[in-house]
Coordinates of all heavy atoms in Angstrom, one line a residue:
V1 N -6.4 73.6 86.6 CA -5.0 73.6 86.9 C -4.5 72.2 87.5 O -3.3 72.0 87.7 CB -4.6 74.7 87.9 CG1 -5.1 76.1 87.4 CG2 -5.2 74.4 89.3
K2 N -5.4 71.3 87.7 CA -5.1 70.0 88.3 C -4.1 69.3 87.4 O -4.2 69.2 86.2 CB -6.4 69.2 88.4 CG -6.4 68.2 89.5 CD -7.8 67.6 89.7 CE -8.7 68.6 90.3 NZ -10.1 67.9 90.6
G3 N -3.0 68.8 88.0 CA -2.0 68.1 87.3 C -0.9 69.0 86.8 O 0.2 68.5 86.3
R4 N -1.1 70.3 86.8 CA -0.1 71.3 86.3 C 0.4 72.1 87.5 O 1.6 72.5 87.4 CB -0.7 72.1 85.2 CG -1.2 71.4 84.0 CD -1.6 72.4 82.9 NE -2.7 73.2 83.3 CZ -2.6 74.6 83.3 NH1 -1.5 75.2 82.9 NH2 -3.7 75.3 83.6
F5 N -0.4 72.5 88.4 CA 0.0 73.4 89.5 C 0.1 72.5 90.8 O -0.7 71.6 91.0 CB -1.1 74.4 89.7 CG -1.2 75.5 88.7 CD1 -0.5 75.4 87.4 CD2 -1.9 76.6 88.9 CE1 -0.6 76.3 86.5 CE2 -2.0 77.6 87.9 CZ -1.3 77.5 86.7
T6 N 1.0 73.0 91.7 CA 1.2 72.3 93.0 C 1.2 73.4 94.0 O 2.1 74.3 94.0 CB 2.5 71.5 93.0 OG1 2.4 70.5 92.0 CG2 2.6 70.8 94.4
I7 N 0.4 73.3 95.0 CA 0.4 74.2 96.1 C 1.1 73.6 97.3 O 1.0 72.3 97.5 CB -1.1 74.6 96.5 CG1 -1.1 75.8 97.6 CG2 -1.9 73.4 97.0 CD1 -2.5 76.4 97.8
S8 N 1.8 74.4 98.1 CA 2.5 73.8 99.2 C 2.8 75.0 100.2 O 2.5 76.2 99.9 CB 3.9 73.2 98.8 OG 4.7 74.2 98.3
R9 N 3.2 74.7 101.4 CA 3.4 75.7 102.4 C 4.6 75.3 103.3 O 4.8 74.1 103.5 CB 2.1 75.9 103.3 CG 1.7 74.7 104.1 CD 0.3 74.9 104.7 NE 0.3 76.1 105.6 CZ -0.8 76.7 106.0 NH1 -2.0 76.4 105.5 NH2 -0.7 77.7 106.8
D10 N 5.2 76.3 103.9 CA 6.3 76.1 104.9 C 5.9 76.9 106.1 O 6.1 78.1 106.1 CB 7.6 76.5 104.3 CG 8.8 76.2 105.2 OD1 8.5 76.1 106.5 OD2 9.9 76.1 104.8
N11 N 5.3 76.2 107.1 CA 4.8 76.9 108.3 C 5.9 77.5 109.1 O 5.7 78.5 109.8 CB 4.0 76.0 109.1 CG 2.6 75.7 108.5 OD1 2.2 76.4 107.6 ND2 2.0 74.7 109.0
A12 N 7.1 77.0 109.0 CA 8.3 77.5 109.7 C 8.7 78.9 109.2 O 9.2 79.7 109.9 CB 9.4 76.6 109.7
K13 N 8.4 79.1 107.9 CA 8.8 80.3 107.2 C 7.6 81.2 106.9 O 7.7 82.3 106.3 CB 9.5 80.0 105.8 CG 10.8 79.3 106.0 CD 11.4 79.0 104.6 CE 12.8 78.3 104.8 NZ 13.4 78.1 103.4
N14 N 6.4 80.8 107.4 CA 5.2 81.6 107.1 C 5.0 81.9 105.6 O 4.7 83.0 105.3 CB 5.2 82.9 107.9 CG 4.6 82.7 109.3 OD1 4.6 81.6 109.8 ND2 4.3 83.8 109.9
T15 N 5.3 80.9 104.8 CA 5.2 81.1 103.4 C 4.4 80.1 102.7 O 4.5 78.9 103.0 CB 6.7 81.1 102.8 OG1 7.4 82.2 103.5 CG2 6.6 81.5 101.3
L16 N 3.6 80.5 101.7 CA 2.8 79.7 100.8 C 3.4 79.7 99.4 O 3.9 80.7 99.0 CB 1.4 80.2 100.8 CG 0.4 79.5 99.8 CD1 0.0 78.2 100.4 CD2 -0.8 80.4 99.7
Y17 N 3.3 78.6 98.7 CA 3.9 78.5 97.4 C 2.8 78.0 96.4 O 1.9 77.3 96.7 CB 5.1 77.6 97.3 CG 6.2 77.9 98.3 CD1 6.3 77.3 99.5 CD2 7.1 78.9 98.0 CE1 7.3 77.6 100.4 CE2 8.1 79.3 98.9 CZ 8.2 78.6 100.1 OH 9.2 79.0 101.0
L18 N 3.1 78.4 95.1 CA 2.3 77.8 94.0 C 3.3 77.5 92.9 O 3.7 78.5 92.2 CB 1.2 78.7 93.6 CG 0.2 78.1 92.5 CD1 -0.6 76.9 93.1 CD2 -0.7 79.2 91.9
Q19 N 3.6 76.3 92.6 CA 4.4 75.9 91.5 C 3.5 75.7 90.3 O 2.6 74.8 90.4 CB 5.2 74.6 91.9 CG 6.1 74.1 90.7 CD 7.2 75.0 90.4 OE1 7.9 75.5 91.3 NE2 7.5 75.2 89.1
M20 N 3.8 76.4 89.3 CA 3.0 76.4 88.1 C 3.8 75.8 86.9 O 4.8 76.5 86.5 CB 2.4 77.7 87.8 CG 1.7 78.4 88.9 SD 0.9 79.9 88.5 CE 2.3 80.9 88.2
N21 N 3.4 74.7 86.4 CA 4.1 74.1 85.3 C 3.2 74.0 84.1 O 2.0 74.1 84.2 CB 4.6 72.7 85.7 CG 5.6 72.7 86.8 OD1 6.4 73.6 87.0 ND2 5.6 71.6 87.6
S22 N 3.8 73.7 82.9 CA 3.0 73.6 81.7 C 2.0 74.7 81.5 O 0.8 74.5 81.2 CB 2.3 72.2 81.7 OG 3.2 71.2 81.8
L23 N 2.5 75.9 81.7 CA 1.6 77.1 81.7 C 1.0 77.3 80.3 O 1.7 77.1 79.3 CB 2.4 78.3 82.1 CG 2.6 78.4 83.6 CD1 3.7 79.4 84.0 CD2 1.3 78.9 84.3
K24 N -0.2 77.8 80.3 CA -0.9 78.1 79.1 C -1.3 79.6 79.0 O -1.4 80.2 80.1 CB -2.2 77.2 79.0 CG -2.0 75.7 79.2 CD -3.4 75.1 79.3 CE -3.2 73.6 79.5 NZ -4.5 72.9 79.6
P25 N -1.5 80.1 77.8 CA -1.9 81.5 77.7 C -3.2 81.8 78.6 O -3.3 82.9 79.1 CB -2.2 81.7 76.2 CG -1.3 80.7 75.6 CD -1.3 79.5 76.5
E26 N -4.1 80.8 78.7 CA -5.3 81.1 79.5 C -5.0 81.1 81.0 O -5.9 81.4 81.8 CB -6.3 80.0 79.2 CG -5.9 78.6 79.3 CD -5.5 78.0 77.9 OE1 -4.8 78.7 77.1 OE2 -5.9 76.9 77.7
D27 N -3.8 80.8 81.4 CA -3.4 81.0 82.8 C -3.0 82.5 83.1 O -2.8 82.8 84.3 CB -2.2 80.1 83.2 CG -2.5 78.6 83.1 OD1 -3.6 78.3 83.6 OD2 -1.7 77.9 82.6
T28 N -3.0 83.3 82.1 CA -2.6 84.7 82.3 C -3.7 85.4 83.2 O -4.9 85.3 82.9 CB -2.6 85.4 80.9 OG1 -1.5 84.9 80.2 CG2 -2.4 86.9 81.1
A29 N -3.2 86.0 84.3 CA -4.1 86.6 85.3 C -3.2 87.3 86.4 O -2.0 87.0 86.4 CB -5.0 85.6 85.9
V30 N -3.9 88.0 87.2 CA -3.3 88.5 88.5 C -3.7 87.4 89.5 O -4.8 87.0 89.7 CB -3.9 89.8 88.9 CG1 -3.3 90.2 90.3 CG2 -3.6 90.9 87.9
Y31 N -2.6 86.9 90.1 CA -2.8 85.8 91.1 C -2.8 86.4 92.5 O -1.8 87.2 92.9 CB -1.7 84.8 91.0 CG -1.9 83.9 89.8 CD1 -1.8 84.3 88.5 CD2 -2.3 82.5 90.0 CE1 -2.1 83.5 87.4 CE2 -2.5 81.7 88.9 CZ -2.4 82.2 87.6 OH -2.7 81.4 86.5
Y32 N -3.8 86.0 93.3 CA -3.9 86.6 94.7 C -3.7 85.4 95.7 O -4.4 84.4 95.6 CB -5.3 87.2 94.9 CG -5.5 88.4 94.0 CD1 -6.1 88.2 92.7 CD2 -5.2 89.7 94.4 CE1 -6.4 89.3 91.9 CE2 -5.4 90.8 93.6 CZ -6.0 90.6 92.4 OH -6.3 91.7 91.6
C33 N -2.9 85.7 96.7 CA -2.8 84.9 97.9 C -4.0 85.2 98.8 O -4.5 86.3 98.9 CB -1.5 85.2 98.6 SG -1.2 84.2 100.1
A34 N -4.5 84.1 99.4 CA -5.7 84.3 100.3 C -5.6 83.4 101.5 O -5.0 82.4 101.5 CB -7.0 83.9 99.5
T35 N -6.3 83.9 102.6 CA -6.3 83.2 103.8 C -7.7 83.2 104.5 O -8.4 84.2 104.3 CB -5.2 83.7 104.8 OG1 -5.2 82.8 105.9 CG2 -5.5 85.1 105.3
R36 N -7.9 82.3 105.3 CA -9.1 82.3 106.1 C -8.7 82.1 107.6 O -7.8 81.2 107.8 CB -10.0 81.1 105.7 CG -11.4 81.1 106.4 CD -12.3 80.1 105.9 NE -13.6 80.1 106.6 CZ -14.5 79.1 106.4 NH1 -14.3 78.1 105.6 NH2 -15.6 79.2 107.1

């Protein structure tokens, strides 16, 4: 996904983002948010 996806976060809003561009059929999946 390098070069196509961008991860970012807004700590003031407690929100994580994933901007996905130039999507391909092989990107089809269930996407899960995760934390440690």
